[in-house]
Amino acid sequence: MTKPRVIYWFRTDLRLHDSPALQAALDLEPEVLWPIWTWDPHYVYKARVGVNRFQFLLDCQNDLSQSITKLNKKSKLFVLREGPQTLFPKLFKAWKPTHLVFEKDTDTYARTRDEAVVKAAKEAGVKVITRSGRTLWDSDDIVAHHDGKPTMTIAALQAAGKKIGPVAKPIPAPKSLPDPGDMPVDFEQHRPDPKPDINESHKTREDTAYKHIAGPNGDFAIETLEELGFAPATTPIRGGETLALQRLDELIKDKTYIATFKKPKTSPAQFDPPATTLLSPFFHFGALSVRLFYHRVQEVIDSFGPGASSPPESLIGQVLFRDMYFAAQAALGASFAQTATNPYCRFVPWHLPSKRDPHTGLTTGDHHIDSDQAEAWFRRWKAGTTGFPWIDALMRQLRHDGWIHHLGRHSVACFLTRGGCYVDWERGAEVFEELLVDHEPACNIGNWQWLSCVAFFAQYYRVYSPVSFGQKWDRDGALIRRWVPELRNVKPKYIYEPWKMPLPDQKAAGVRITGDGLEDEQDEGTYPKPMFDFSERRGICIGAMKNAYSVGLHGNDEKVLDGSWRSLFPSPDEAEVMGEYESDFGENADNNEDGDHIEKQNGESAGHKRGAETMGVKAKSKKLKTQE
DNA sequence: ATCCTGGTTGACTTC
DNA sequence: AGAAGTCAACCAGGA
């Protein structure tokens, strides 16, 4: 019998410590082991991955590759520049592996990708071994132990986890690795069509990512930002398993911090260093095992005695939430990422709703502009020029560093959706997807649903103030001064509300509060006026949420899908929050370029034309009393 | 069915 | 100064 020849396919498990899948590969006692990465065009061109997260990924790959080489001089992380679906059938023939091993991934795209690869392996007679290692418990197991339903509360996750049993103990890193086998690539490379490239706006030079299957020098080197066409990253946050383990060791030394950690008590305004662990990006790329983290933390808590915090506020609670969102996604699949078709997502007639492909029911990544006003608000939110310094500081920090504190994310997410702009949570989720170094699809989607009160959370009358919330943590506005330098010299009294600053104070602070915050129009030495009266918007939004809740539609309701939901929001007051756009099933005029795959069906053009212009609708009162 | 409890992280006023 | 009450009243999950 021939000894096993194993391809180990690294994906979001860029580590050697506590990797159940890698261990399963080594348990085969293979003659050869190829540690590989395949550059998936879907990730490179179709997923929103800003330069900062790409850099973090490349860091993780480089570190892993070096760690592999330390265990075997002949080996490293071999990067192949082709998508797995087309690559593996060719690799199976050319390299003649007996096994393909990888860590299980329950992300929506990953599931279909892996199905295709498993099918190809079966056809080639290659055995496939997978192991769960990305979450505390296998997310499909959690779903199975929750009646096949998504976990919508932390209690449900904990109950399901309890039924499965204790979180698996960490597995030590391997002490040696087998040699890689020969790696002929004398087959034709399948080159992807990069257009449309969703990350184009981040790129400043020619994209040469797919020039040669084994890289420019034919040595399977890890790609560089240059090769991908990116300018240098802006974030100081760096990746890699070595760094992750160092950081974990450092954190664990402070027993009190670890054992008494309470997330809601950590400050969103603290930035140097941040108040939380900053381990999330390592979890995302699997550079740190979430199970290893869990057990290291639990050990500290167990020996700490009384006074230790507990879930959901504790550090353990944080990774439980992560598992909850993963299991919700595992149960709902593609519909989890959007309102339309999602039975667990409440329907709210937000501004700037997603366009959908009528064939698949899935969002296209583009949105309807039902309100020019809302579009302008959205742009200002994204750019960090809303005129609310707390919001702008956080959005600028997010863009530059790829990270903001969890409560900062709450604040800006609430502001964009139910607590200010009344813009679709899907718009916000897309921006976070692009900008976060720790973007985790399930957690991002789940948290946006939470904050916009369409799922997981429902207390929509608890609205974050862009003024008071920041002041609670950072009276003098240090975070604002760091990220909104125009306001650096503004007195603490006005730092959160510069529009209240009298002219002499503006002069003294060297800034004029003027302009509408839209791109190209903001003059040097100025900071924009606030884009709306927050308390007025708060009242309008709470009233609109109350109404949407009472209508009670969910994403899978027929009325949501066919556009007839409009007839259920008849009050003129809601004109302010009425989508004014053509139905997805009657797409015409304005989207000629992708018109070829949007079949004209039943010709319905469901958009009632509502006369009310968004700004024309006034709140009934400055206070909360807008709803009747 | 119906009630009850708990829910990571609001703001503001009153005591 | 910190806790409690008010604002208005939400849901999921379990008994």
Side-chain angles (χ1 to χ4, degrees):
Chain A
M1 199 180 118
T2 57
K3 291 192 96 184
R5 299 157 54 81
V6 178
I7 294 178
Y8 187 83
W9 182 20
F10 281 99
R11 300 109 59 87
T12 48
D13 57 325
L14 296 171
R15 66 177 180 277
L16 294 183
H17 291 75
D18 190 30
S19 174
L22 182 60
Q23 189 57 49
L26 297 174
D27 285 346
L28 296 167
E29 295 180 13
E31 179 186 23
V32 299
L33 180 95
W34 292 277
I36 69 159
W37 172 277
T38 69
W39 264 108
D40 190 337
H42 183 270
Y43 194 78
V44 176
Y45 300 122
K46 309 302 174 200
R48 291 177 179 80
V49 191
V51 62
N52 288 331
R53 191 154 82 255
F54 260 119
Q55 176 185 269
F56 196 95
L57 167 58
L58 300 181
D59 282 351
C60 292
Q61 293 179 326
N62 279 300
D63 182 71
L64 173 68
S65 191
Q66 284 166 26
S67 299
I68 291 171
T69 304
K70 275 181 197 155
L71 296 182
N72 184 327
K73 274 185 291 194
K74 292 179 191 161
S75 195
K76 64 175 183 178
L77 181 67
F78 298 98
V79 174
L80 292 124
R81 287 145 174 85
E82 186 167 329
Q85 297 93 330
T86 53
L87 174 68
F88 276 116
K90 294 181 286 192
L91 277 196
F92 293 151
K93 276 192 195 138
W95 296 7
K96 301 184 179 61
T98 57
H99 295 76
L100 172 68
V101 185
F102 56 87
E103 185 179 84
K104 183 174 168 180
D105 187 341
T106 54
D107 281 1
T108 305
Y109 166 72
R111 286 218 211 241
T112 32
R113 176 197 63 201
D114 293 350
E115 264 171 38
V117 170
V118 168
K119 185 164 168 272
K122 205 167 248 173
E123 284 164 5
V126 173
K127 290 199 186 75
V128 176
I129 296 173
T130 64
R131 289 285 185 278
S132 169
R134 203 172 166 205
T135 44
L136 300 176
W137 296 280
D138 181 316
S139 300
D140 290 328
D141 258 5
I142 291 285
V143 176
H145 286 85
H146 189 52
D147 294 333
K149 294 180 299 182
T151 45
M152 301 308 287
T153 64
I154 203 69
L157 182 274
Q158 286 175 295
K162 206 172 175 183
K163 286 184 213 164
I164 295 170
V167 173
K169 288 278 187 207
I171 301 164
K175 295 204 165 47
S176 66
L177 288 173
D179 290 348
D182 291 338
M183 293 185 285
V185 285
D186 49 356
F187 46 77
E188 205 176 321
Q189 180 191 21
H190 182 270
R191 286 201 191 151
D193 175 10
K195 303 288 172 191
D197 178 1
I198 204 167
N199 300 308
E200 201 164 22
S201 67
H202 290 275
K203 297 181 182 175
T204 55
R205 56 185 98 190
E206 195 200 350
D207 167 10
T208 57
Y210 292 94
K211 253 194 170 157
H212 188 279
I213 193 161
N217 303 318
D219 58 357
F220 304 95
I222 289 160
E223 294 204 23
T224 59
L225 285 176
E226 293 75 33
E227 208 181 335
L228 290 161
F230 284 114
T234 57
T235 182
I237 301 172
R238 305 308 298 252
E241 182 181 27
T242 306
L243 200 55
L245 293 170
Q246 274 169 13
R247 177 160 291 152
L248 179 61
D249 283 344
E250 281 300 311
L251 288 163
I252 291 287
K253 279 183 194 160
D254 189 344
K255 309 291 179 201
T256 306
Y257 175 80
I258 294 291
T260 65
F261 183 96
K262 285 185 178 164
K263 187 65 156 281
K265 297 276 192 300
T266 59
S267 169
Q270 196 180 313
F271 57 91
D272 194 22
T276 49
T277 66
L278 230 68
L279 291 176
S280 48
F282 298 102
F283 291 145
H284 170 66
F285 287 110
L288 181 63
S289 156
V290 71
R291 297 173 181 178
L292 176 64
F293 173 79
Y294 175 94
H295 285 289
R296 294 283 302 271
V297 168
Q298 196 59 57
E299 272 169 32
V300 173
I301 290 170
D302 290 346
S303 60
F304 192 79
S309 54
S310 49
E313 294 177 320
S314 64
L315 278 177
I316 295 292
Q318 306 315 300
V319 285
L320 291 174
F321 274 111
R322 186 174 176 276
D323 261 47
M324 176 184 82
Y325 290 132
F326 266 88
Q329 178 180 249
L332 293 168
S335 76
F336 179 63
Q338 56 184 58
T339 301
T341 71
N342 182 349
Y344 284 80
C345 183
R346 193 171 281 283
F347 174 76
V348 174
W350 308 110
H351 286 308
L352 313 185
S354 297
K355 290 186 178 176
R356 283 188 300 124
D357 181 326
H359 296 304
T360 62
L362 300 180
T363 55
T364 63
D366 209 352
H367 66 270
H368 296 279
I369 299 176
D370 61 306
S371 155
D372 291 339
Q373 179 65 84
E375 177 72 8
W377 288 346
F378 172 53
R379 289 201 181 152
R380 291 182 63 173
W381 176 83
K382 193 175 171 183
T385 56
T386 65
F388 293 95
W390 170 250
I391 299 295
D392 293 344
L394 287 164
M395 292 307 293
R396 295 179 194 188
Q397 182 188 15
L398 170 64
R399 181 168 295 273
H400 188 272
D401 282 0
W403 183 91
I404 52 178
H405 184 277
H406 188 63
L407 293 180
R409 300 181 195 195
H410 278 213
S411 205
V412 299
C414 180
F415 184 86
L416 180 70
T417 58
R418 67 179 169 85
C421 308
Y422 215 74
V423 163
D424 200 317
W425 64 268
E426 293 171 25
R427 299 290 75 69
E430 285 166 1
V431 171
F432 273 29
E433 178 187 355
E434 175 188 337
L435 298 180
L436 283 171
V437 287
D438 62 7
H439 172 254
E440 186 66 80
C443 300
N444 189 45
I445 296 297
N447 276 314
W448 273 94
Q449 292 181 359
W450 183 300
L451 263 299
S452 62
C453 288
V454 294
F456 298 102
F457 187 70
Q459 285 156 276
Y460 55 76
Y461 40 85
R462 290 187 181 173
V463 175
Y464 289 83
S465 160
V467 175
S468 324
F469 187 70
Q471 282 176 332
K472 191 166 81 184
W473 300 99
D474 179 13
R475 186 53 61 175
D476 292 344
L479 186 86
I480 295 168
R481 291 171 207 281
R482 166 69 182 85
W483 291 104
V484 189
E486 308 93 284
L487 300 175
R488 200 174 13 196
N489 298 318
V490 170
K491 286 181 189 161
K493 185 181 176 189
Y494 299 116
I495 190 76
Y496 284 87
E497 300 171 285
W499 60 90
K500 290 187 176 171
M501 187 163 40
L503 279 170
D505 291 87
Q506 295 188 27
K507 204 156 197 185
V511 64
R512 261 182 326 121
I513 307 306
T514 183
D516 68 3
L518 291 169
E519 284 145 282
D520 333 319
E521 287 170 37
Q522 197 67 28
D523 293 329
E524 199 80 8
T526 67
Y527 177 77
K529 291 180 183 165
M531 61 190 196
F532 46 58
D533 177 323
F534 170 71
S535 67
E536 184 180 297
R537 289 297 311 168
R538 178 183 182 274
I540 290 169
C541 287
I542 290 177
M545 290 299 290
K546 183 187 165 89
N547 187 52
Y549 266 61
S550 77
V551 171
L553 292 175
H554 286 79
N556 63 334
D557 195 297
E558 210 163 296
K559 290 186 164 62
V560 169
L561 298 173
D562 69 12
S564 62
W565 56 266
R566 286 175 180 80
S567 63
L568 300 176
F569 291 83
S571 156
D573 285 350
E574 266 72 57
E576 201 281 331
V577 293
M578 284 289 293
E580 187 180 311
Y581 54 90
E582 304 296 315
S583 157
D584 284 307
F585 292 86
E587 291 281 353
N588 39 37
D590 64 335
N591 87 353
N592 293 332
E593 70 277 23
D594 18 308
D596 52 325
H597 67 274
I598 297 175
E599 204 175 287
K600 288 181 183 69
Q601 297 183 351
N602 64 33
E604 193 205 71
S605 177
H608 306 253
K609 293 292 175 190
R610 311 275 313 189
E613 174 49 47
T614 56
M615 282 313 275
V617 179
K618 291 277 179 262
K620 293 234 155 46
S621 125
K622 297 267 178 199
K623 289 255 158 60
L624 188 62
K625 274 265 174 264
T626 41
Q627 59 276 33
E628 34 230 284

